[in-house]
Amino acid sequence: MGSVWQALRQGESAPDRRRQLARAHDHFTSGTAIAEDPELREHFAALTGMRPVVFESWLRSQRSTIAPDRVPDQPALGEEELQELRRRHPIARVLPLVQRLLFDEAAGSGLIVAVGDAAGRLLWVDGDAALRSRAEEMGFRAGMDWSERAVGTSAPGSALALDHAIQVLGAEHYNRFVHQWSCTAAPVHDPVSGSLIGVVDVTGGDSAASPHLMPLLEATIAAVEAELKFESLRDRIERERAQERPPRRAAPA
């Protein structure tokens, strides 16, 4: 049995695939020592048709002893910490671009857009208001830690862990409280140093993991990184100009 996307293309309905994933998740988290037995791991992956990228994330989550049945509702940042991190984070400088490309569109499409830092802490969450309220019940809001080490498999956390874009559908999430959601996320890099600085995520129903969403998100990331590069170049030019200016002479007494 192929991946989620192959199954969908071959006519398997999303509800059927969701049920199959939920059964696989129940078995995986039931206490069976799948992670410690290579033969059992291989058999489980083949039997359930798990995507390797998701299965490997489940294994990392299990090894990290993440509880799959606990609501991820412990804030990682206090309000003052959140505001300070927002103020000094590089993406803050290009947030209007994210607003135009994703936030505004998401609000009318029944989706949520989140921007997090390199540690997986959500800094900005916007989009459909009703959906945001529902998402807050599972701890998906600004100030929360959505890294893999905190909540297990999810698009924002796994995109950071793997340093590449990923889509996660329903019960592919390690935490059961997230099984009704799907998401697509991609990491953001500093265009000068190449270092990982954050992640942009789109969350919602099945449409949030549709194939057409990935190129849209990757195009947004490319635009964000290009704007960050422009801002860095402008800052450098300003510093060089400041150094070239002659010092001011003191006014005569």
Side-chain angles (χ1 to χ4, degrees):
M1 200 171 297
S3 70
V4 174
W5 317 118
Q6 289 173 328
L8 290 173
R9 284 196 295 270
Q10 291 168 1
E12 184 177 356
S13 70
D16 286 346
R17 183 55 183 160
R18 278 184 175 275
R19 283 191 289 271
Q20 184 186 31
L21 287 169
R23 288 194 298 270
H25 185 274
D26 287 344
H27 184 68
F28 186 86
T29 58
S30 66
T32 307
I34 294 173
E36 288 75 29
D37 189 329
E39 186 175 344
L40 192 56
R41 289 201 304 268
E42 184 177 346
H43 177 70
F44 177 84
L47 184 65
T48 60
M50 291 292 300
R51 291 191 293 152
V53 67
V54 173
F55 186 49
E56 290 298 323
S57 178
W58 280 15
L59 291 170
R60 289 194 299 273
S61 302
Q62 190 177 71
R63 291 181 187 123
S64 299
T65 65
I66 294 171
D69 297 304
R70 184 183 66 80
V71 180
D73 60 356
Q74 296 301 312
L77 298 168
E79 187 59 31
E80 290 186 6
E81 292 176 296
L82 173 61
Q83 295 303 327
E84 175 60 18
L85 191 52
R86 281 174 168 172
R87 185 188 65 78
R88 57 186 173 84
H89 197 277
I91 294 179
R93 303 186 68 178
V94 297
L95 200 62
L97 178 62
V98 181
Q99 179 80 39
R100 292 196 304 274
L101 295 178
L102 287 180
F103 284 165
D104 292 343
E105 290 296 322
S109 303
L111 297 170
I112 302 169
V113 175
V115 178
D117 67 2
R121 297 170 296 188
L122 303 183
L123 302 183
W124 295 277
V125 180
D126 208 338
D128 184 270
L131 204 63
R132 286 206 320 271
S133 295
R134 284 180 50 208
E136 287 177 0
E137 295 174 4
M138 66 167 181
F140 196 82
R141 60 182 182 273
M144 303 299 292
D145 184 352
W146 273 75
S147 63
E148 261 199 2
R149 66 180 177 277
V151 300
T153 309
S154 75
S158 298
L160 289 170
L162 299 169
D163 198 10
H164 66 66
I166 186 172
Q167 295 184 302
V168 178
L169 173 68
E172 288 183 327
H173 289 92
Y174 191 71
N175 191 300
R176 283 190 178 86
F177 284 93
V178 197
H179 282 189
Q180 297 305 309
W181 301 80
S182 295
C183 46
T184 298
V188 184
H189 297 88
D190 183 295
V192 177
S193 68
S195 61
L196 186 64
I197 61 171
V199 64
V200 177
D201 168 81
V202 179
T203 289
D206 288 351
S207 63
S210 62
H212 78 272
L213 193 56
M214 183 68 83
L216 171 62
L217 186 57
E218 290 177 334
T220 299
I221 298 298
V224 165
E225 292 178 349
E227 187 72 10
L228 287 171
K229 188 173 184 178
F230 173 77
E231 292 285 344
S232 176
L233 178 61
R234 185 167 63 180
D235 288 347
R236 190 184 74 185
I237 292 172
E238 287 295 324
R239 288 194 301 269
E240 291 174 352
R241 285 176 176 171
Q243 292 171 357
E244 291 171 358
R245 294 190 191 108
R248 281 186 169 185
R249 292 184 179 180

